[in-house]
Amino acid sequence: MIPLRMLVSRLGAQTTRLLVPHDVQVFSWQYRSSGPPATFPKSRGGGDSSYMEEMYFAWLENPQSVHKIRGHHVAQLDPLGILDADLDSFVPSDLITTIDKLAFYDLRETDLDKEFQLPTTTFIGGSESTLSLREIIRRLESTYCQHIGLEFMFINDVEQCQWIRQKFETPGIMQFSSEEKRTLLARLVRSMRFEDFLARKWSSEKRFGLEGCEVMIPALKTIIDKSSEMGIENVILGMPHRGRLNVLANVIRKDLEQIFCQFDPKLEAADEGSGDVKYHLGMYHERINRATNRNITLSLVANPSHLEAVDPVVQGKTKAEQFYRGDSEGKKVMSILVHGDAAFAGQGVVYETFHLSDLPSYTTNGTVHVVVNNQIGFTTDPRMARSSPYPTDVARVVNAPIFHVNADDPEAVIYVCSVAAEWRNTFNKDVVVDLVCYRRRGHNEMDEPMFTQPLMYKQIHRQVPVLKKYADKLIAEGTVTLQEFEEEIAKYDRICEEAYGRSKDKKILDIKHWLDSPWPGFFNVDGEPKSMTCPSTGIPEDTLTHIGTVASSVPLEGFKIHTGLSRILRSRADMTKNRTVDWALAEYMAFGSLLQEGIHVRLSGQDVERGTFSHRHHVLHDQDVDRRTCVPMNHLWPDQAPYTVCNSSLSEYGVLGFELGYAMASPNALVLWEAQFGDFHNTAQCIIDQFISTGQAKWVRHNGIVLLLPHGMEGMGPEHSSARPERFLQMSNDDSDAYPAFTEDFEVSQLYDCNWIVVNCSTPASYFHVLRRQILLPFRKPLIIFTPKSLLRHPEARSSFDQMVSGMCFQRVIPEDGAAALAPEQVQRLIFCTGKVYYDLVKERSSRGLEEQVAITRLEQISPFPFDLIKQEAEKYQGAELVWCQEEHKNMGYYDYISPRFTTILSRARPIWYVGRDPAAAPATGNRNTHLVSLKKFLDTAFNLQGFKGKKF
């Protein structure tokens, strides 16, 4: 027996090839077994390479790490046998893959039969402590170089690395009972025959089938089974369209007739909205897990064609479900995300979502990622689609182990998925399963892939389906008979045929049957609101006073705050004493009163704890004790609901998607996302367009998320001025040409019919009421609020308690209440506006002494448009010119939205003139003087009472 250390000493200088990066100069060194100490290489910068010593001595202790680190390069991962999964045909020269490679280590073939002592860090020996070199190599190759390729040695945790080694190195560990094999075969039958059935019945329909990766169905079921065994009760899935129908049928267990009837072109929709294609729909289902006989809830979140957009949405919904269950460690609720190889590597939201995985207020305690690696993206080859070796390399940033597996080896896939589920539920960390497979058809069933990948698809056409391969294997080993296999196929085919027959009887499509996030008890049994009324949003004055008192104090003893913050708290105390509020205090009172009523409030975004403009200060920091913080909002009442305020990572797309998902879980929570500046929302435009604006229309999914978007032209340049209100208004679904009927419940019905609510509040009281109304409404709609910047400290932007007490409510329109309102027949001009520009107009009107000639009316709610109140105002000032004034450029802001609606409500009898900045490409100027000149120009126009005389509208 030769100690393994002696074997290393024989490897000599060749070992430097293992250890030295390509950008360092290699110096000769001698063996540790004799002679002077080894001389280690220096970096080009001249610094010592002490880390190299550590690597070298680690290798001395365990040279098998070569296979563990590099074995995946030569693993047989591609079912087609034509591509290298890591984009590279490179075989590391230090891997002993053939006899001739022994010379690399100065070894001869005769050395293969010599016995070596195994280190304690390996499990390949099982109960044996010594093995021959030949057997060592064979066992390492069997573990690391066959149908499974492992990447985990970058994880900087010895316990976790050893756990993975034990799961894969232990001899005979990947053994399956006959019953497990039969279950696997049955699941493969269902997966493949489902696709075959759809192909036979609807050969010319797009369905984005799973052919080529049918093993994904038993893979997902294995993850769910293992997780259920470990205590998981709720699994939330997100995935793209490929294979979605199969997952709905065979994982979620959606009724087959509900799926098949989706192919009927004559099917009529029973729900409101436009619906979505069948391979985007979601589903929620509670059932018994057959493997564990335990209850499990499965939710597949609806997803648009934007492949990875659903990732943060799933994570947010998972976080919320964990929160409501008190599952802080993720022992009851978990998420599974399915990805495509091209999207996983190419979509930036994947990276953003990974970086939420370990943040305290965003972690879901580990996600199992399953990559359906077709080795192609639509028509694009991998070498054109990514620069990284693998599509999964993005997962390395969070130290997630990556298990590559040949999808044509079902048992290897099932074992890897079982280990992945166990990893997640043991370490509460992300893990990636890379199913290296192929796509039997084109991007969709109508697509011809031979145009662009002729050689690949010639091989695919010759490829034996995985079901036949595995069935032949089990039949050959006597696990099943051919008759049993054929009976299993016939059984599932009958199930499909019977469901197909029933599907023909369905004439109406109920989209609500495809809900991914039902809210039991919130709506009536038909899914409609229980009423069409909204109670007063005001609260008792003693509640306002109590919240103001807490907001101006530090509820913890011995907690030292910053002197500047002390001034802010004193100011809050003074306002409370004087029965007034500014913007920050109004928000405090809205949140605090909802918490008292049992409504969970969550505010998320960049720097929201303090507020971008240093106005909020919801988290206090002890100036003497590091990391000691206090959230006074959580000290309002003993039995209040919890308040969560959390600074997010510097991400909009990922974080807004996360908060949207969080808001999906329950209607009894106020979930808000605040942009650092309003225009930054455009990097989350996909979430806004595909989920928030259209979510209810496509998926009958209500969502009450609130977007806080700081907005205002204040000379801060084009990037910190506009929250792009025109984009939100353009996507609002109310009809500009339809003259509405003003019924008793018009205000609430209008809100119910819209796709979202857009407001620009001009007073703290309006902000207070609209936040409370968001929860008190009998339904949920997204709320877009253009929030102020300079108004946060504007001395006129204050509200009295009188505007917030019981009986008061949100005013969609705030009419003129000054001298002009007392004699409306004398008013020459009625100016409509919204937001901050009101204060500029009032100041200018006062300076010109036009309080009796010019009335100013504010639209607090812009969409849905307050037709009824605008009509009242216009009729009140019959003899006045009507003007719309905005600080934004004419092609931006609100004018294009309000103009046709004014025309409709006025029956085209009176024009609505535009006053504001001229059209422009950029939202604002970067020059302070230009900003002030343009402001003065449009204010002059607004109060030039002769300016529109003789003009035609």
Side-chain angles (χ1 to χ4, degrees), residues 71-72 74-77 141-150 168 174 402-406 409 411-413 415-416:
H72 58 88
V74 294
Q76 301 165 34
L77 299 177
E141 286 183 343
S142 177
T143 298
Y144 295 105
C145 305
Q146 297 302 309
H147 288 164
I148 299 173
L150 305 177
F168 288 96
M174 203 184 304
I402 302 165
F403 304 149
H404 309 279
V405 59
N406 186 319
D409 185 344
E411 291 182 8
V413 169
Y415 184 76
V416 160

Side-chain angles (χ1 to χ4, degrees), residues 613 677-679 709-725 760 785-791 834-837 840 886-889 894 917 923-925 928 931:
F613 310 103
F677 285 90
D679 56 315
L709 307 177
H711 172 83
M713 308 295 114
E714 297 171 0
M716 297 181 69
E719 270 68 61
H720 286 157
S721 296
S722 177
R724 297 287 191 177
N760 188 353
I785 306 180
F786 302 117
T787 55
K789 295 173 289 184
S790 63
L791 292 192
T834 186
K836 179 185 74 70
V837 74
D840 296 322
Q886 65 180 39
E887 59 181 353
E888 297 82 5
H889 293 284
Y894 320 91
R917 290 183 167 92
T925 178
R928 179 72 177 173
H931 164 76

Side-chain angles (χ1 to χ4, degrees), residues 191 210-217 371-374 407 435 437-438:
S191 177
L210 197 54
E211 293 97 331
C213 194
E214 294 90 346
V215 76
M216 186 183 82
I217 298 303
V371 179
V372 178
N373 187 349
N374 297 310
L435 299 178
C437 55
Y438 58 92

Side-chain angles (χ1 to χ4, degrees), residues 192 214 408 438 440 463-470:
M192 188 160 187
E214 294 90 346
D408 263 15
Y438 58 92
R440 187 166 286 278
Q463 193 77 2
V464 177
V466 65
L467 176 60
K468 183 174 184 341
K469 285 183 182 179
Y470 192 57

Side-chain angles (χ1 to χ4, degrees), residues 194-226:
F194 177 82
E195 299 293 352
D196 289 348
F197 185 84
L198 296 185
R200 290 197 307 273
K201 297 295 184 183
W202 298 281
S203 59
S204 60
E205 281 271 357
K206 285 183 184 179
R207 55 186 168 80
F208 294 95
L210 197 54
E211 293 97 331
C213 194
E214 294 90 346
V215 76
M216 186 183 82
I217 298 303
L220 292 178
K221 291 178 77 70
T222 297
I223 295 169
I224 293 168
D225 289 348
K226 188 66 178 179

Side-chain angles (χ1 to χ4, degrees), residues 439-455:
R439 191 187 66 197
R440 187 166 286 278
R441 303 176 189 271
H443 176 66
N444 59 62
E445 286 68 26
M446 302 297 97
D447 196 46
E448 177 49 77
M450 291 287 283
F451 288 146
T452 51
Q453 279 77 30
L455 298 183

Side-chain angles (χ1 to χ4, degrees), residues 2 7 10-11 96 99 102-103 105-116 131-137:
I2 301 175
L7 169 64
R10 296 184 59 183
L11 304 186
I96 302 176
I99 293 296
L102 289 169
Y105 294 108
D106 293 332
L107 293 169
R108 293 178 294 277
E109 189 171 354
T110 54
D111 293 320
L112 289 174
D113 295 317
K114 292 179 180 176
E115 292 275 321
F116 293 92
L131 289 174
S132 67
L133 180 57
R134 187 187 305 277
E135 184 61 14
I136 290 173
I137 294 172

